[in-house]
Each structure stands twice: as structure tokens, then as C-alpha cells.
């Protein structure tokens, strides 16, 4: 009978070794504090009416949302360049690309809906058939 050791899995790593895939309590606490801060700042920006123009507030909130997604991916999903041969980093880059596309597309759609769906004036109503 052979002695059972960690290499009996045919060289397959199950991710529970020293790969750094699991965070510590300090890592989770750091992620939680950052997530709370990144949630409170947009709330304060809106409720305190910090910026005069609403579109500046929206841009800042969208930027903070992007940062918060990255914080969640790093501290809670443990996506780093060291894990899984770099595939986690590739997934992070792909997610960031999707984030940029979604945020800019959402702003573009909302802007054009606002510009094209505004109610017509009383003068325009008189000239309608």
C-alpha cells in the first residue's frame, strides 16, 4: 500500500493549497469596508446635492460603481493574475470591457430618450394636425 499524499490526485490541484485562492478575515473586512464606503459616497453625492449639474453627479456615480465592481471581484471573487494561470485576470479584463460598454450605452440611451421624448410645447401642439 502506498502512503496517501497531496500528489495522489494525478498532479491536479484542487485550489485548496497555497495558491492564495482563499482570502483571510482581514481581506474580507477590507473588501467590506471599501464596499460600504463606495456605497455611501454616491448616496451622499445625491442627498447632499454636491454637484450643481446632475450629469456630473451621474458620471461620478457610474465611475464609483465601476470601482465597486472591481473591489467585489478582487476581494470577494478572488480574481487575480496569479490564479488559474491568468484566466481570472482575463475574465476581469473582459468584465471591465463589458462594464464600459454597458455604462456608456446606458448613458447614451438615457440621453437620447430624454432629448427625444420630451413633451412638446403648447405652440407645437397648436400646429399639430
Amino acid at each position: 500500500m502506498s502512503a496517501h499524499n497531496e500528489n495522489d490526485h494525478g498532479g491536479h490541484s484542487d485550489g485548496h493549497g497555497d495558491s492564495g485562492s482563499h482570502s483571510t478575515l482581514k481581506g474580507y473586512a477590507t473588501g467590506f469596508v471599501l464596499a460600504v464606503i463606495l456605497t455611501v459616497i454616491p448616496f451622499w453625492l445625491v442627498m447632499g446635492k454636491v454637484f450643481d449639474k446632475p450629469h456630473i453627479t451621474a458620471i461620478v456615480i457610474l465611475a464609483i460603481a465601476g470601482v465597486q465592481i472591481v473591489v467585489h471581484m478582487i476581494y470577494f471573487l478572488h480574481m487575480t493574475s496569479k490564479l488559474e494561470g491568468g484566466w481570472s485576470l482575463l475574465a476581469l479584463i473582459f468584465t471591465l470591457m463589458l462594464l464600459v460598454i454597458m455604462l456608456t450605452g446606458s448613458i447614451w440611451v438615457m440621453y437620447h430618450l430624454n432629448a427625444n421624448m420630451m413633451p412638446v410645447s403648447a405652440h407645437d401642439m397648436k400646429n399639430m394636425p
Side-chain angles (χ1 to χ4, degrees), residues 39-54 56-57 61:
T39 301
V40 169
I41 290 173
F43 182 79
W44 169 71
L45 290 174
V46 172
M47 297 305 290
K49 297 183 181 177
V50 176
F51 298 112
D52 293 335
K53 298 179 181 179
I56 294 175
T57 303
I61 289 173

Side-chain angles (χ1 to χ4, degrees), residues 78-99:
H78 314 294
M79 296 181 106
T80 64
S81 63
K82 297 175 187 171
L83 294 176
E84 299 175 13
W87 284 107
S88 292
L89 181 63
L90 210 57
L92 176 63
I93 292 169
F94 179 70
T95 303
L96 291 176
M97 286 177 25
L98 284 177
L99 174 72

